Amino acid sequence: MQESYEQRTYDTAVPAPAEPADPRRWWVLAVLSLALFVITVNNGLLNVALPSVMRDLGAGIGTTQWIVDGYALVFAACLLTAGTLSDRYGRKRATLLGVALFGAGTLIALTAAGAAQLVAARAVMGVAAALVMPGTLSILVDVFPRPERPRAIAVWGGTSALGVAAGPVLGGALVAHFWWGSVFLVNLVPVAAVLAAGLVLLPESSAKDPRPADPGGALLGSAAMVGLVYGAIHAAGRGWTSAPVLGAFGAALLAAALFVAWERKAPSPMVDFALLSRPVFLGASAGNMLLFSGLAGTLFVLTQYLQFALGYGALRAGLAIAPVAVAVGAGSAVSPALTRRTGARGAVTAGLAAAAAGILTLSAAHGYPVILAGLALMGTGVGVALTPATDTVLGLVPPQRSGNAAALNDTMQELGNAVGVAVVGTVLARRSGAPGAGARIGAAAGTGFTAAAAIVALGALLAAALLPGPERGADRAGEPVPDRM
């Protein structure tokens, strides 16, 4: 008799038989990395255009928070369901469908005549990104043998960081010569390339025993996320203790409690509570979530600080942020060796601590040299922490469950993005006064950076407490939980 899903235990690993590596795996990685680049470059493209959006659409900081978070919030809300669908119907199909939908959302954004249409376009792109993200990581796990996987994940993660850094440069160049909507043109060529190459190169895979969809859990989880982000954003204008904001937080808490109750009784829950309860998973995923939360909040503030306070044009602001990509690459290069010596705990903790220190350096900056030093330290920390944290998460599950595990990790990461922009953006708005008070953003930016640094520092503390050190790191961090049937 088959065990129900919730009856499966996660105490011992069932080793999978070795299979020959896919000879096209590095070409597959190139396609997957380009797909990831498309969905990560997006926020960077738009961030540098936010001052132009504020001027042309008459938008305040609260509206721009929704334009940014309309993408990240929908992305996070759909990821778990997308991971389940990817496992059931095929990861290649889900990835390519998501890329095509992303292109459609881009075309809607290109023609946006107002803030509401732009938020809607970003929501469509968020749904698309949710289909793309878990598939890329699951296919990577399928085609790369365990010894090569850390290097492949480092390339995959480095591509994500490259998208973050390249977005402001490309977006700044376009905004400097065209209108703000032109930043979305950058998406179209990679979308076409991924669709063409992916049809030929990507292997299809799916779970042998895919779980059914869980629409009740998806709705409750989405409601909790929306309430949390809504409350954080609207605290900018109404205050943290106002009735609407407290009501939103209360609704988010209620939805979260109902979500947990529902998932614990559901025959096929969308969240693996046995996995979620493991300290190693929490240390890695929560560390990633808080890292991206602080990073998203930092970039949201920095692009406005450079233009409003230092008087940079859009292109110059984008170029000023670009060195973070070099720093991420340097951090990614040293991360595997550091992980071997210190375990996941040492590498992730050191990376998060360095990132927090870099963001805190930005809070004391009054000119670009100090900003450059802060970006270098922050980027190095991101590069050091990202690969071991991600590899630790994926090592906890067998390949046939990688889509859902990747989706759970990515959900926490994207929720971190949304909450980071909401919270740090609200701190900025409260300190700078009335919405759209661009001239006062310079004085308020330091407080925003300090809040972002505190968020990342919390992630470092969790990683230090929960992740395995070098003794266990070599044996247990990558040990998968079984998939008994």
Side-chain angles (χ1 to χ4, degrees):
M1 180 177 179
Q2 290 185 338
E3 294 178 341
S4 64
Y5 184 81
E6 66 271 20
Q7 289 176 313
R8 297 172 192 156
T9 61
Y10 293 84
D11 298 327
T12 58
V14 176
E19 295 183 1
D22 190 323
R24 301 183 302 173
R25 60 193 180 278
W26 294 105
W27 288 106
V28 169
L29 178 61
V31 176
L32 298 176
S33 296
L34 185 58
L36 183 65
F37 179 83
V38 172
I39 63 176
T40 56
V41 75
N42 196 262
N43 272 344
L45 288 167
L46 187 59
N47 274 339
V48 79
L50 288 178
S52 297
V53 172
M54 293 170 74
R55 286 191 296 265
D56 292 352
L57 300 183
I61 292 177
T63 302
T64 59
Q65 284 174 280
W66 277 117
I67 292 172
V68 174
D69 270 354
Y71 177 74
L73 184 58
V74 174
F75 192 171
C78 294
L79 264 169
L80 287 173
T81 300
T84 300
L85 295 176
S86 176
D87 282 345
R88 173 173 288 274
Y89 296 109
R91 290 143 188 170
K92 174 180 179 177
R93 290 187 184 92
T95 299
L96 295 183
L97 174 62
V99 171
L101 185 60
F102 200 90
T106 295
L107 294 176
I108 297 173
L110 274 170
T111 61
Q117 185 179 347
L118 186 55
V119 171
R122 297 274 291 164
V124 171
M125 296 164 78
V127 175
L131 288 168
V132 174
M133 177 70 91
T136 62
L137 207 47
S138 298
I139 294 171
L140 184 154
V141 170
D142 282 341
V143 300
F144 279 92
R146 178 69 194 176
E148 293 182 344
R149 195 180 301 160
R151 185 154 57 116
I153 291 176
V155 173
W156 180 87
T159 302
S160 176
L162 177 63
V164 171
V169 178
L170 297 172
L174 289 167
V175 171
H177 294 91
F178 305 102
W179 87 112
W180 59 262
S182 64
V183 299
F184 295 104
L185 291 170
V186 175
N187 296 334
L188 297 179
V189 172
V191 162
V194 170
L195 289 175
L199 286 170
V200 176
L201 291 172
L202 294 185
E204 186 58 278
S205 65
S206 59
K208 294 179 181 178
D209 178 33
R211 70 182 68 197
D214 180 18
L219 288 174
L220 290 170
S222 299
M225 295 179 198
V226 170
L228 177 63
V229 174
Y230 180 92
I233 288 178
H234 283 269
R238 299 176 180 270
W240 291 98
T241 59
S242 65
V245 171
L246 291 178
F249 288 149
L253 184 61
L254 176 61
L258 292 173
F259 173 76
V260 172
W262 175 278
E263 291 295 286
R264 288 195 178 279
K265 293 182 179 180
S268 300
M270 65 193 303
V271 172
D272 295 341
F273 280 101
L275 178 62
L276 193 61
S277 65
R278 296 189 67 173
V280 172
F281 179 84
L282 284 178
S285 282
N288 257 346
M289 179 181 74
L290 293 169
L291 173 63
F292 278 86
S293 183
L295 181 63
T298 297
L299 294 178
F300 182 81
V301 175
L302 183 58
T303 52
Q304 297 181 62
Y305 174 76
L306 290 171
Q307 295 181 67
F308 284 126
L310 299 187
Y312 286 18
L315 176 57
R316 188 180 178 190
L319 291 171
I321 297 172
V324 76
V326 178
V328 171
S332 298
V334 303
S335 181
L338 181 61
T339 304
R340 286 192 296 270
R341 292 178 62 87
T342 67
R345 180 196 303 156
V348 176
T349 301
L352 289 170
I359 297 171
L360 194 61
T361 300
L362 297 177
S363 69
H366 296 288
Y368 187 67
V370 178
I371 291 174
L372 180 60
L375 288 174
L377 189 54
M378 179 183 75
T380 301
V382 171
V384 167
L386 186 59
T387 297
T390 304
D391 192 41
T392 297
V393 169
L394 293 181
L396 292 171
V397 296
Q400 61 266 32
R401 291 294 181 196
S402 60
N404 191 262
L408 181 57
N409 179 65
D410 294 339
T411 296
M412 296 178 70
Q413 180 176 304
E414 288 305 319
L415 180 60
N417 277 334
V419 171
V421 171
V423 171
V424 178
T426 293
V427 169
L428 179 70
R430 297 286 292 176
R431 290 285 295 170
S432 63
R440 293 190 288 275
I441 286 178
T447 305
F449 290 135
T450 301
I455 291 170
V456 179
L458 177 59
L461 294 175
L462 288 176
L466 299 176
L467 289 181
E471 295 80 15
R472 292 183 62 219
D475 302 321
R476 297 286 298 177
E479 180 181 284
V481 295
D483 185 41
R484 296 179 185 168
M485 296 304 300

